[in-house]
Amino acid sequence: MSNKRTAADVDESSDAYDTVDWLLRHVPGNNGKVGVWGPSYAGFTAAMAAIAAHPAVKAVSPQAPMADLFLGDDGHHNGALYLAHYVNYLYMMGQPRPAPPAPLPRLRYPTPDGYAFFLGLGPLKNFAGRVFDNANPLWEETMAHEAYDGYWKARSIYPHLAGLTPALLLVGGWYDAEDLGG
């Protein structure tokens, strides 16, 4: 991800640019101006539309966006693993899906509550074989990076939020897992 775009780029910001370009050419009756918004992960993708933005993108509203999965967002909260939430998120997102599911697969606890379930699993090394129905490369990849290293830094959007051209309305709240402090 970069604030300078090239035709060879493959990332969320370039995808947003290409999507806007395609929509403007294929949706009749548009006025040539685009606004983008979304909460949580969609807030992340909205922010991506503001980086090296298509000239038609005039306004962007990231709402409680994921911005850095180690420094405060869904994966870690400033270094503390946000275990139940992160495991459930990766369970939903890390399942092979040959067709769109309805609804997304949810982790079902075989215990009366989540606390008993996670306590009974023991150390994190037990999770891969006992929580996920299939291999979950994203779980394995993120668990291999316990500290705020290059893996996490490369996925942070913060360094790319300078020099943005669209108008921005950032929305967040204190009563949210992705609150104003992360």
Side-chain angles (χ1 to χ4, degrees):
M1 161 177 38
S2 170
N3 290 23
K4 303 278 189 230
R5 184 180 174 335
T6 71
D9 290 340
V10 180
D11 56 55
E12 289 88 344
S13 182
S14 299
D15 289 350
Y17 188 104
D18 294 342
T19 299
V20 168
D21 196 60
W22 187 92
L23 288 168
L24 290 172
R25 288 186 282 116
H26 292 92
V27 175
N30 72 72
N31 67 2
K33 296 178 183 178
V34 175
V36 183
W37 69 275
S40 193
Y41 180 72
F44 167 82
T45 60
M48 293 296 97
I51 298 170
H54 190 285
V57 176
K58 303 300 182 190
V60 177
S61 181
Q63 301 173 3
M66 294 169 47
D68 188 308
L69 287 173
F70 194 93
L71 295 178
D73 288 332
D74 289 334
H76 295 264
H77 279 237
N78 298 308
L81 183 59
Y82 191 25
L83 187 61
H85 178 79
Y86 198 51
V87 166
N88 277 288
Y89 177 75
L90 291 181
Y91 184 85
M92 277 191 317
M93 304 312 283
Q95 299 293 316
R97 294 188 298 267
L104 284 172
R106 295 289 223 185
L107 178 59
R108 303 287 180 214
Y109 303 130
T111 59
D113 58 60
Y115 180 77
F117 173 69
F118 285 104
L119 187 62
L121 288 173
L124 291 175
K125 67 181 181 179
N126 295 348
F127 282 45
R130 296 178 61 194
V131 173
F132 303 111
D133 297 335
N134 302 289
N136 194 305
L138 189 54
W139 169 262
E140 295 162 16
E141 189 176 317
T142 58
M143 290 302 104
H145 299 275
E146 308 178 337
Y148 193 60
D149 60 12
Y151 173 85
W152 296 109
K153 291 174 184 175
R155 287 157 177 76
S156 175
I157 68 171
Y158 294 134
H160 307 282
L161 297 178
L164 304 180
T165 54
L168 292 175
L169 173 63
L170 182 61
V171 178
W174 289 115
Y175 192 68
D176 189 317
E178 277 66 68
D179 63 31
L180 298 173

PDB file of all heavy atoms in Angstrom, residues 129-164:
ATOM      1  N   GLY A 129      -5.763 -27.068  16.327  1.00  0.00           N
ATOM      2  CA  GLY A 129      -6.401 -28.360  16.130  1.00  0.00           C
ATOM      3  C   GLY A 129      -7.726 -28.534  16.847  1.00  0.00           C
ATOM      4  O   GLY A 129      -8.491 -29.437  16.516  1.00  0.00           O
ATOM      5  N   ARG A 130      -8.033 -27.679  17.805  1.00  0.00           N
ATOM      6  CA  ARG A 130      -9.232 -27.876  18.604  1.00  0.00           C
ATOM      7  C   ARG A 130     -10.325 -26.839  18.377  1.00  0.00           C
ATOM      8  O   ARG A 130     -11.455 -27.044  18.801  1.00  0.00           O
ATOM      9  CB  ARG A 130      -8.851 -27.910  20.077  1.00  0.00           C
ATOM     10  CG  ARG A 130      -7.943 -29.117  20.377  1.00  0.00           C
ATOM     11  CD  ARG A 130      -7.482 -29.178  21.799  1.00  0.00           C
ATOM     12  NE  ARG A 130      -8.596 -29.298  22.734  1.00  0.00           N
ATOM     13  CZ  ARG A 130      -8.474 -29.096  24.035  1.00  0.00           C
ATOM     14  NH1 ARG A 130      -7.305 -28.767  24.553  1.00  0.00           N
ATOM     15  NH2 ARG A 130      -9.515 -29.229  24.820  1.00  0.00           N
ATOM     16  N   VAL A 131      -9.992 -25.732  17.728  1.00  0.00           N
ATOM     17  CA  VAL A 131     -10.985 -24.676  17.508  1.00  0.00           C
ATOM     18  C   VAL A 131     -11.409 -24.620  16.055  1.00  0.00           C
ATOM     19  O   VAL A 131     -12.592 -24.606  15.735  1.00  0.00           O
ATOM     20  CB  VAL A 131     -10.441 -23.298  17.943  1.00  0.00           C
ATOM     21  CG1 VAL A 131     -11.406 -22.189  17.551  1.00  0.00           C
ATOM     22  CG2 VAL A 131     -10.189 -23.271  19.439  1.00  0.00           C
ATOM     23  N   PHE A 132     -10.444 -24.590  15.158  1.00  0.00           N
ATOM     24  CA  PHE A 132     -10.744 -24.398  13.744  1.00  0.00           C
ATOM     25  C   PHE A 132     -11.013 -25.743  13.073  1.00  0.00           C
ATOM     26  O   PHE A 132     -10.273 -26.699  13.263  1.00  0.00           O
ATOM     27  CB  PHE A 132      -9.587 -23.667  13.068  1.00  0.00           C
ATOM     28  CG  PHE A 132      -9.289 -22.341  13.723  1.00  0.00           C
ATOM     29  CD1 PHE A 132      -8.124 -22.146  14.432  1.00  0.00           C
ATOM     30  CD2 PHE A 132     -10.205 -21.304  13.642  1.00  0.00           C
ATOM     31  CE1 PHE A 132      -7.852 -20.928  15.044  1.00  0.00           C
ATOM     32  CE2 PHE A 132      -9.954 -20.086  14.264  1.00  0.00           C
ATOM     33  CZ  PHE A 132      -8.772 -19.899  14.961  1.00  0.00           C
ATOM     34  N   ASP A 133     -12.090 -25.810  12.286  1.00  0.00           N
ATOM     35  CA  ASP A 133     -12.467 -27.043  11.607  1.00  0.00           C
ATOM     36  C   ASP A 133     -11.438 -27.442  10.543  1.00  0.00           C
ATOM     37  O   ASP A 133     -11.284 -28.604  10.225  1.00  0.00           O
ATOM     38  CB  ASP A 133     -13.834 -26.879  10.931  1.00  0.00           C
ATOM     39  CG  ASP A 133     -14.943 -26.625  11.929  1.00  0.00           C
ATOM     40  OD1 ASP A 133     -14.801 -27.029  13.106  1.00  0.00           O
ATOM     41  OD2 ASP A 133     -15.959 -26.021  11.547  1.00  0.00           O
ATOM     42  N   ASN A 134     -10.788 -26.458   9.974  1.00  0.00           N
ATOM     43  CA  ASN A 134      -9.790 -26.681   8.927  1.00  0.00           C
ATOM     44  C   ASN A 134      -8.539 -25.893   9.293  1.00  0.00           C
ATOM     45  O   ASN A 134      -8.547 -25.120  10.243  1.00  0.00           O
ATOM     46  CB  ASN A 134     -10.329 -26.167   7.578  1.00  0.00           C
ATOM     47  CG  ASN A 134     -11.626 -26.841   7.202  1.00  0.00           C
ATOM     48  OD1 ASN A 134     -11.640 -28.007   6.864  1.00  0.00           O
ATOM     49  ND2 ASN A 134     -12.734 -26.109   7.266  1.00  0.00           N
ATOM     50  N   ALA A 135      -7.498 -26.049   8.507  1.00  0.00           N
ATOM     51  CA  ALA A 135      -6.306 -25.224   8.717  1.00  0.00           C
ATOM     52  C   ALA A 135      -6.723 -23.765   8.626  1.00  0.00           C
ATOM     53  O   ALA A 135      -7.578 -23.401   7.821  1.00  0.00           O
ATOM     54  CB  ALA A 135      -5.262 -25.544   7.658  1.00  0.00           C
ATOM     55  N   ASN A 136      -6.158 -22.936   9.464  1.00  0.00           N
ATOM     56  CA  ASN A 136      -6.476 -21.513   9.444  1.00  0.00           C
ATOM     57  C   ASN A 136      -5.154 -20.749   9.339  1.00  0.00           C
ATOM     58  O   ASN A 136      -4.570 -20.374  10.351  1.00  0.00           O
ATOM     59  CB  ASN A 136      -7.259 -21.115  10.696  1.00  0.00           C
ATOM     60  CG  ASN A 136      -7.898 -19.750  10.559  1.00  0.00           C
ATOM     61  OD1 ASN A 136      -7.216 -18.788  10.271  1.00  0.00           O
ATOM     62  ND2 ASN A 136      -9.197 -19.690  10.763  1.00  0.00           N
ATOM     63  N   PRO A 137      -4.682 -20.536   8.108  1.00  0.00           N
ATOM     64  CA  PRO A 137      -3.380 -19.898   7.916  1.00  0.00           C
ATOM     65  C   PRO A 137      -3.275 -18.523   8.573  1.00  0.00           C
ATOM     66  O   PRO A 137      -2.209 -18.164   9.061  1.00  0.00           O
ATOM     67  CB  PRO A 137      -3.243 -19.793   6.394  1.00  0.00           C
ATOM     68  CG  PRO A 137      -4.160 -20.834   5.853  1.00  0.00           C
ATOM     69  CD  PRO A 137      -5.299 -20.939   6.838  1.00  0.00           C
ATOM     70  N   LEU A 138      -4.359 -17.761   8.610  1.00  0.00           N
ATOM     71  CA  LEU A 138      -4.279 -16.434   9.219  1.00  0.00           C
ATOM     72  C   LEU A 138      -4.036 -16.527  10.723  1.00  0.00           C
ATOM     73  O   LEU A 138      -3.247 -15.764  11.281  1.00  0.00           O
ATOM     74  CB  LEU A 138      -5.535 -15.621   8.926  1.00  0.00           C
ATOM     75  CG  LEU A 138      -5.472 -14.151   9.330  1.00  0.00           C
ATOM     76  CD1 LEU A 138      -4.264 -13.448   8.740  1.00  0.00           C
ATOM     77  CD2 LEU A 138      -6.754 -13.440   8.916  1.00  0.00           C
ATOM     78  N   TRP A 139      -4.675 -17.491  11.399  1.00  0.00           N
ATOM     79  CA  TRP A 139      -4.411 -17.710  12.823  1.00  0.00           C
ATOM     80  C   TRP A 139      -2.935 -18.057  13.027  1.00  0.00           C
ATOM     81  O   TRP A 139      -2.254 -17.481  13.866  1.00  0.00           O
ATOM     82  CB  TRP A 139      -5.314 -18.810  13.374  1.00  0.00           C
ATOM     83  CG  TRP A 139      -4.930 -19.275  14.741  1.00  0.00           C
ATOM     84  CD1 TRP A 139      -4.196 -20.379  15.066  1.00  0.00           C
ATOM     85  CD2 TRP A 139      -5.231 -18.632  15.987  1.00  0.00           C
ATOM     86  NE1 TRP A 139      -4.034 -20.470  16.418  1.00  0.00           N
ATOM     87  CE2 TRP A 139      -4.664 -19.414  17.018  1.00  0.00           C
ATOM     88  CE3 TRP A 139      -5.928 -17.487  16.336  1.00  0.00           C
ATOM     89  CZ2 TRP A 139      -4.764 -19.076  18.356  1.00  0.00           C
ATOM     90  CZ3 TRP A 139      -6.038 -17.158  17.676  1.00  0.00           C
ATOM     91  CH2 TRP A 139      -5.458 -17.945  18.667  1.00  0.00           C
ATOM     92  N   GLU A 140      -2.457 -19.014  12.239  1.00  0.00           N
ATOM     93  CA  GLU A 140      -1.064 -19.454  12.376  1.00  0.00           C
ATOM     94  C   GLU A 140      -0.090 -18.319  12.081  1.00  0.00           C
ATOM     95  O   GLU A 140       0.904 -18.136  12.792  1.00  0.00           O
ATOM     96  CB  GLU A 140      -0.814 -20.649  11.463  1.00  0.00           C
ATOM     97  CG  GLU A 140      -1.625 -21.875  11.875  1.00  0.00           C
ATOM     98  CD  GLU A 140      -1.755 -22.929  10.792  1.00  0.00           C
ATOM     99  OE1 GLU A 140      -0.985 -22.874   9.806  1.00  0.00           O
ATOM    100  OE2 GLU A 140      -2.642 -23.794  10.916  1.00  0.00           O
ATOM    101  N   GLU A 141      -0.391 -17.534  11.073  1.00  0.00           N
ATOM    102  CA  GLU A 141       0.476 -16.425  10.693  1.00  0.00           C
ATOM    103  C   GLU A 141       0.526 -15.353  11.785  1.00  0.00           C
ATOM    104  O   GLU A 141       1.598 -14.887  12.161  1.00  0.00           O
ATOM    105  CB  GLU A 141      -0.064 -15.823   9.388  1.00  0.00           C
ATOM    106  CG  GLU A 141       0.816 -14.809   8.734  1.00  0.00           C
ATOM    107  CD  GLU A 141       0.229 -14.360   7.402  1.00  0.00           C
ATOM    108  OE1 GLU A 141      -0.261 -15.206   6.626  1.00  0.00           O
ATOM    109  OE2 GLU A 141       0.268 -13.156   7.152  1.00  0.00           O
ATOM    110  N   THR A 142      -0.630 -14.973  12.300  1.00  0.00           N
ATOM    111  CA  THR A 142      -0.635 -13.918  13.312  1.00  0.00           C
ATOM    112  C   THR A 142      -0.077 -14.403  14.644  1.00  0.00           C
ATOM    113  O   THR A 142       0.548 -13.630  15.366  1.00  0.00           O
ATOM    114  CB  THR A 142      -2.037 -13.310  13.503  1.00  0.00           C
ATOM    115  OG1 THR A 142      -2.971 -14.310  13.880  1.00  0.00           O
ATOM    116  CG2 THR A 142      -2.511 -12.632  12.234  1.00  0.00           C
ATOM    117  N   MET A 143      -0.271 -15.669  14.971  1.00  0.00           N
ATOM    118  CA  MET A 143       0.278 -16.187  16.225  1.00  0.00           C
ATOM    119  C   MET A 143       1.799 -16.294  16.179  1.00  0.00           C
ATOM    120  O   MET A 143       2.463 -16.334  17.204  1.00  0.00           O
ATOM    121  CB  MET A 143      -0.324 -17.551  16.566  1.00  0.00           C
ATOM    122  CG  MET A 143      -1.793 -17.492  16.969  1.00  0.00           C
ATOM    123  SD  MET A 143      -2.113 -16.426  18.392  1.00  0.00           S
ATOM    124  CE  MET A 143      -2.814 -14.977  17.619  1.00  0.00           C
ATOM    125  N   ALA A 144       2.373 -16.309  14.978  1.00  0.00           N
ATOM    126  CA  ALA A 144       3.826 -16.359  14.832  1.00  0.00           C
ATOM    127  C   ALA A 144       4.472 -14.995  15.101  1.00  0.00           C
ATOM    128  O   ALA A 144       5.696 -14.893  15.126  1.00  0.00           O
ATOM    129  CB  ALA A 144       4.192 -16.844  13.427  1.00  0.00           C
ATOM    130  N   HIS A 145       3.651 -13.968  15.304  1.00  0.00           N
ATOM    131  CA  HIS A 145       4.162 -12.607  15.518  1.00  0.00           C
ATOM    132  C   HIS A 145       3.574 -12.042  16.808  1.00  0.00           C
ATOM    133  O   HIS A 145       2.580 -11.333  16.797  1.00  0.00           O
ATOM    134  CB  HIS A 145       3.816 -11.723  14.316  1.00  0.00           C
ATOM    135  CG  HIS A 145       4.418 -12.225  13.052  1.00  0.00           C
ATOM    136  ND1 HIS A 145       5.702 -11.915  12.665  1.00  0.00           N
ATOM    137  CD2 HIS A 145       3.930 -13.061  12.098  1.00  0.00           C
ATOM    138  CE1 HIS A 145       5.982 -12.519  11.530  1.00  0.00           C
ATOM    139  NE2 HIS A 145       4.922 -13.236  11.162  1.00  0.00           N
ATOM    140  N   GLU A 146       4.233 -12.360  17.933  1.00  0.00           N
ATOM    141  CA  GLU A 146       3.742 -11.955  19.260  1.00  0.00           C
ATOM    142  C   GLU A 146       4.050 -10.502  19.589  1.00  0.00           C
ATOM    143  O   GLU A 146       3.433  -9.929  20.471  1.00  0.00           O
ATOM    144  CB  GLU A 146       4.387 -12.808  20.351  1.00  0.00           C
ATOM    145  CG  GLU A 146       4.283 -14.271  20.151  1.00  0.00           C
ATOM    146  CD  GLU A 146       4.991 -15.056  21.241  1.00  0.00           C
ATOM    147  OE1 GLU A 146       5.896 -14.522  21.905  1.00  0.00           O
ATOM    148  OE2 GLU A 146       4.602 -16.208  21.419  1.00  0.00           O
ATOM    149  N   ALA A 147       5.042  -9.939  18.940  1.00  0.00           N
ATOM    150  CA  ALA A 147       5.468  -8.569  19.222  1.00  0.00           C
ATOM    151  C   ALA A 147       5.114  -7.677  18.032  1.00  0.00           C
ATOM    152  O   ALA A 147       4.829  -8.158  16.932  1.00  0.00           O
ATOM    153  CB  ALA A 147       6.967  -8.525  19.482  1.00  0.00           C
ATOM    154  N   TYR A 148       5.160  -6.380  18.257  1.00  0.00           N
ATOM    155  CA  TYR A 148       4.873  -5.418  17.189  1.00  0.00           C
ATOM    156  C   TYR A 148       6.088  -5.342  16.268  1.00  0.00           C
ATOM    157  O   TYR A 148       6.944  -4.482  16.384  1.00  0.00           O
ATOM    158  CB  TYR A 148       4.534  -4.052  17.785  1.00  0.00           C
ATOM    159  CG  TYR A 148       3.929  -3.106  16.777  1.00  0.00           C
ATOM    160  CD1 TYR A 148       2.742  -3.418  16.131  1.00  0.00           C
ATOM    161  CD2 TYR A 148       4.530  -1.899  16.491  1.00  0.00           C
ATOM    162  CE1 TYR A 148       2.170  -2.559  15.210  1.00  0.00           C
ATOM    163  CE2 TYR A 148       3.970  -1.025  15.576  1.00  0.00           C
ATOM    164  CZ  TYR A 148       2.790  -1.361  14.935  1.00  0.00           C
ATOM    165  OH  TYR A 148       2.225  -0.497  14.019  1.00  0.00           O
ATOM    166  N   ASP A 149       6.138  -6.303  15.351  1.00  0.00           N
ATOM    167  CA  ASP A 149       7.274  -6.427  14.453  1.00  0.00           C
ATOM    168  C   ASP A 149       6.905  -5.961  13.047  1.00  0.00           C
ATOM    169  O   ASP A 149       5.840  -5.376  12.833  1.00  0.00           O
ATOM    170  CB  ASP A 149       7.791  -7.877  14.457  1.00  0.00           C
ATOM    171  CG  ASP A 149       6.742  -8.891  13.999  1.00  0.00           C
ATOM    172  OD1 ASP A 149       5.678  -8.493  13.460  1.00  0.00           O
ATOM    173  OD2 ASP A 149       6.989 -10.101  14.166  1.00  0.00           O
ATOM    174  N   GLY A 150       7.765  -6.226  12.084  1.00  0.00           N
ATOM    175  CA  GLY A 150       7.543  -5.799  10.707  1.00  0.00           C
ATOM    176  C   GLY A 150       6.262  -6.352  10.105  1.00  0.00           C
ATOM    177  O   GLY A 150       5.649  -5.708   9.251  1.00  0.00           O
ATOM    178  N   TYR A 151       5.855  -7.547  10.521  1.00  0.00           N
ATOM    179  CA  TYR A 151       4.599  -8.137  10.028  1.00  0.00           C
ATOM    180  C   TYR A 151       3.429  -7.204  10.322  1.00  0.00           C
ATOM    181  O   TYR A 151       2.631  -6.903   9.444  1.00  0.00           O
ATOM    182  CB  TYR A 151       4.380  -9.495  10.697  1.00  0.00           C
ATOM    183  CG  TYR A 151       3.037 -10.114  10.397  1.00  0.00           C
ATOM    184  CD1 TYR A 151       2.844 -10.864   9.249  1.00  0.00           C
ATOM    185  CD2 TYR A 151       1.957  -9.944  11.263  1.00  0.00           C
ATOM    186  CE1 TYR A 151       1.609 -11.428   8.964  1.00  0.00           C
ATOM    187  CE2 TYR A 151       0.722 -10.505  10.986  1.00  0.00           C
ATOM    188  CZ  TYR A 151       0.549 -11.246   9.838  1.00  0.00           C
ATOM    189  OH  TYR A 151      -0.669 -11.791   9.557  1.00  0.00           O
ATOM    190  N   TRP A 152       3.318  -6.773  11.578  1.00  0.00           N
ATOM    191  CA  TRP A 152       2.199  -5.902  11.973  1.00  0.00           C
ATOM    192  C   TRP A 152       2.356  -4.502  11.404  1.00  0.00           C
ATOM    193  O   TRP A 152       1.375  -3.888  10.958  1.00  0.00           O
ATOM    194  CB  TRP A 152       2.097  -5.845  13.496  1.00  0.00           C
ATOM    195  CG  TRP A 152       1.763  -7.166  14.101  1.00  0.00           C
ATOM    196  CD1 TRP A 152       2.602  -7.971  14.833  1.00  0.00           C
ATOM    197  CD2 TRP A 152       0.520  -7.870  14.027  1.00  0.00           C
ATOM    198  NE1 TRP A 152       1.952  -9.118  15.215  1.00  0.00           N
ATOM    199  CE2 TRP A 152       0.669  -9.071  14.725  1.00  0.00           C
ATOM    200  CE3 TRP A 152      -0.708  -7.592  13.436  1.00  0.00           C
ATOM    201  CZ2 TRP A 152      -0.355 -10.003  14.858  1.00  0.00           C
ATOM    202  CZ3 TRP A 152      -1.734  -8.513  13.557  1.00  0.00           C
ATOM    203  CH2 TRP A 152      -1.551  -9.701  14.256  1.00  0.00           C
ATOM    204  N   LYS A 153       3.568  -3.967  11.424  1.00  0.00           N
ATOM    205  CA  LYS A 153       3.800  -2.608  10.936  1.00  0.00           C
ATOM    206  C   LYS A 153       3.450  -2.479   9.456  1.00  0.00           C
ATOM    207  O   LYS A 153       2.927  -1.455   9.021  1.00  0.00           O
ATOM    208  CB  LYS A 153       5.249  -2.194  11.191  1.00  0.00           C
ATOM    209  CG  LYS A 153       5.542  -1.995  12.666  1.00  0.00           C
ATOM    210  CD  LYS A 153       7.007  -1.722  12.910  1.00  0.00           C
ATOM    211  CE  LYS A 153       7.264  -1.621  14.409  1.00  0.00           C
ATOM    212  NZ  LYS A 153       8.691  -1.479  14.713  1.00  0.00           N
ATOM    213  N   ALA A 154       3.721  -3.529   8.680  1.00  0.00           N
ATOM    214  CA  ALA A 154       3.414  -3.499   7.250  1.00  0.00           C
ATOM    215  C   ALA A 154       1.911  -3.480   6.986  1.00  0.00           C
ATOM    216  O   ALA A 154       1.477  -3.085   5.903  1.00  0.00           O
ATOM    217  CB  ALA A 154       4.039  -4.707   6.553  1.00  0.00           C
ATOM    218  N   ARG A 155       1.112  -3.869   7.964  1.00  0.00           N
ATOM    219  CA  ARG A 155      -0.339  -3.931   7.794  1.00  0.00           C
ATOM    220  C   ARG A 155      -1.064  -2.738   8.416  1.00  0.00           C
ATOM    221  O   ARG A 155      -2.279  -2.654   8.361  1.00  0.00           O
ATOM    222  CB  ARG A 155      -0.858  -5.237   8.390  1.00  0.00           C
ATOM    223  CG  ARG A 155      -0.495  -6.416   7.506  1.00  0.00           C
ATOM    224  CD  ARG A 155      -0.479  -7.735   8.239  1.00  0.00           C
ATOM    225  NE  ARG A 155      -0.193  -8.818   7.316  1.00  0.00           N
ATOM    226  CZ  ARG A 155       1.007  -9.094   6.828  1.00  0.00           C
ATOM    227  NH1 ARG A 155       2.040  -8.369   7.169  1.00  0.00           N
ATOM    228  NH2 ARG A 155       1.186 -10.088   5.993  1.00  0.00           N
ATOM    229  N   SER A 156      -0.324  -1.836   9.019  1.00  0.00           N
ATOM    230  CA  SER A 156      -0.921  -0.655   9.628  1.00  0.00           C
ATOM    231  C   SER A 156      -1.212   0.395   8.566  1.00  0.00           C
ATOM    232  O   SER A 156      -0.379   0.650   7.688  1.00  0.00           O
ATOM    233  CB  SER A 156       0.037  -0.065  10.667  1.00  0.00           C
ATOM    234  OG  SER A 156      -0.486   1.148  11.174  1.00  0.00           O
ATOM    235  N   ILE A 157      -2.370   1.032   8.663  1.00  0.00           N
ATOM    236  CA  ILE A 157      -2.681   2.092   7.689  1.00  0.00           C
ATOM    237  C   ILE A 157      -2.183   3.456   8.145  1.00  0.00           C
ATOM    238  O   ILE A 157      -2.123   4.382   7.354  1.00  0.00           O
ATOM    239  CB  ILE A 157      -4.190   2.149   7.357  1.00  0.00           C
ATOM    240  CG1 ILE A 157      -5.025   2.609   8.541  1.00  0.00           C
ATOM    241  CG2 ILE A 157      -4.677   0.833   6.811  1.00  0.00           C
ATOM    242  CD1 ILE A 157      -6.476   2.883   8.183  1.00  0.00           C
ATOM    243  N   TYR A 158      -1.795   3.589   9.406  1.00  0.00           N
ATOM    244  CA  TYR A 158      -1.410   4.905   9.931  1.00  0.00           C
ATOM    245  C   TYR A 158      -0.347   5.626   9.106  1.00  0.00           C
ATOM    246  O   TYR A 158      -0.500   6.818   8.838  1.00  0.00           O
ATOM    247  CB  TYR A 158      -0.974   4.790  11.388  1.00  0.00           C
ATOM    248  CG  TYR A 158      -2.084   4.391  12.326  1.00  0.00           C
ATOM    249  CD1 TYR A 158      -1.880   3.406  13.266  1.00  0.00           C
ATOM    250  CD2 TYR A 158      -3.343   4.985  12.258  1.00  0.00           C
ATOM    251  CE1 TYR A 158      -2.898   3.024  14.138  1.00  0.00           C
ATOM    252  CE2 TYR A 158      -4.360   4.615  13.114  1.00  0.00           C
ATOM    253  CZ  TYR A 158      -4.139   3.628  14.057  1.00  0.00           C
ATOM    254  OH  TYR A 158      -5.137   3.259  14.907  1.00  0.00           O
ATOM    255  N   PRO A 159       0.730   4.952   8.666  1.00  0.00           N
ATOM    256  CA  PRO A 159       1.745   5.689   7.904  1.00  0.00           C
ATOM    257  C   PRO A 159       1.256   6.209   6.550  1.00  0.00           C
ATOM    258  O   PRO A 159       1.914   7.036   5.929  1.00  0.00           O
ATOM    259  CB  PRO A 159       2.864   4.657   7.687  1.00  0.00           C
ATOM    260  CG  PRO A 159       2.646   3.607   8.696  1.00  0.00           C
ATOM    261  CD  PRO A 159       1.172   3.586   8.952  1.00  0.00           C
ATOM    262  N   HIS A 160       0.105   5.758   6.100  1.00  0.00           N
ATOM    263  CA  HIS A 160      -0.385   6.098   4.762  1.00  0.00           C
ATOM    264  C   HIS A 160      -1.498   7.146   4.780  1.00  0.00           C
ATOM    265  O   HIS A 160      -2.096   7.425   3.744  1.00  0.00           O
ATOM    266  CB  HIS A 160      -0.878   4.829   4.064  1.00  0.00           C
ATOM    267  CG  HIS A 160       0.149   3.745   4.053  1.00  0.00           C
ATOM    268  ND1 HIS A 160       1.222   3.735   3.186  1.00  0.00           N
ATOM    269  CD2 HIS A 160       0.304   2.668   4.856  1.00  0.00           C
ATOM    270  CE1 HIS A 160       1.979   2.687   3.443  1.00  0.00           C
ATOM    271  NE2 HIS A 160       1.447   2.022   4.442  1.00  0.00           N
ATOM    272  N   LEU A 161      -1.766   7.716   5.934  1.00  0.00           N
ATOM    273  CA  LEU A 161      -2.909   8.624   6.055  1.00  0.00           C
ATOM    274  C   LEU A 161      -2.537  10.100   5.926  1.00  0.00           C
ATOM    275  O   LEU A 161      -3.303  10.966   6.327  1.00  0.00           O
ATOM    276  CB  LEU A 161      -3.626   8.370   7.389  1.00  0.00           C
ATOM    277  CG  LEU A 161      -4.232   6.972   7.525  1.00  0.00           C
ATOM    278  CD1 LEU A 161      -4.881   6.798   8.890  1.00  0.00           C
ATOM    279  CD2 LEU A 161      -5.227   6.680   6.407  1.00  0.00           C
ATOM    280  N   ALA A 162      -1.402  10.397   5.335  1.00  0.00           N
ATOM    281  CA  ALA A 162      -0.993  11.787   5.100  1.00  0.00           C
ATOM    282  C   ALA A 162      -1.286  12.158   3.652  1.00  0.00           C
ATOM    283  O   ALA A 162      -1.247  11.320   2.757  1.00  0.00           O
ATOM    284  CB  ALA A 162       0.493  11.952   5.397  1.00  0.00           C
ATOM    285  N   GLY A 163      -1.616  13.412   3.438  1.00  0.00           N
ATOM    286  CA  GLY A 163      -1.812  13.909   2.078  1.00  0.00           C
ATOM    287  C   GLY A 163      -3.048  13.370   1.390  1.00  0.00           C
ATOM    288  O   GLY A 163      -3.073  13.266   0.169  1.00  0.00           O
ATOM    289  N   LEU A 164      -4.069  13.033   2.135  1.00  0.00           N
ATOM    290  CA  LEU A 164      -5.303  12.509   1.542  1.00  0.00           C
ATOM    291  C   LEU A 164      -6.087  13.651   0.896  1.00  0.00           C
ATOM    292  O   LEU A 164      -6.149  14.753   1.439  1.00  0.00           O
ATOM    293  CB  LEU A 164      -6.148  11.816   2.607  1.00  0.00           C
ATOM    294  CG  LEU A 164      -5.451  10.683   3.373  1.00  0.00           C
ATOM    295  CD1 LEU A 164      -6.389  10.083   4.406  1.00  0.00           C
ATOM    296  CD2 LEU A 164      -4.940   9.618   2.424  1.00  0.00           C
TER     297      LEU A 164
END
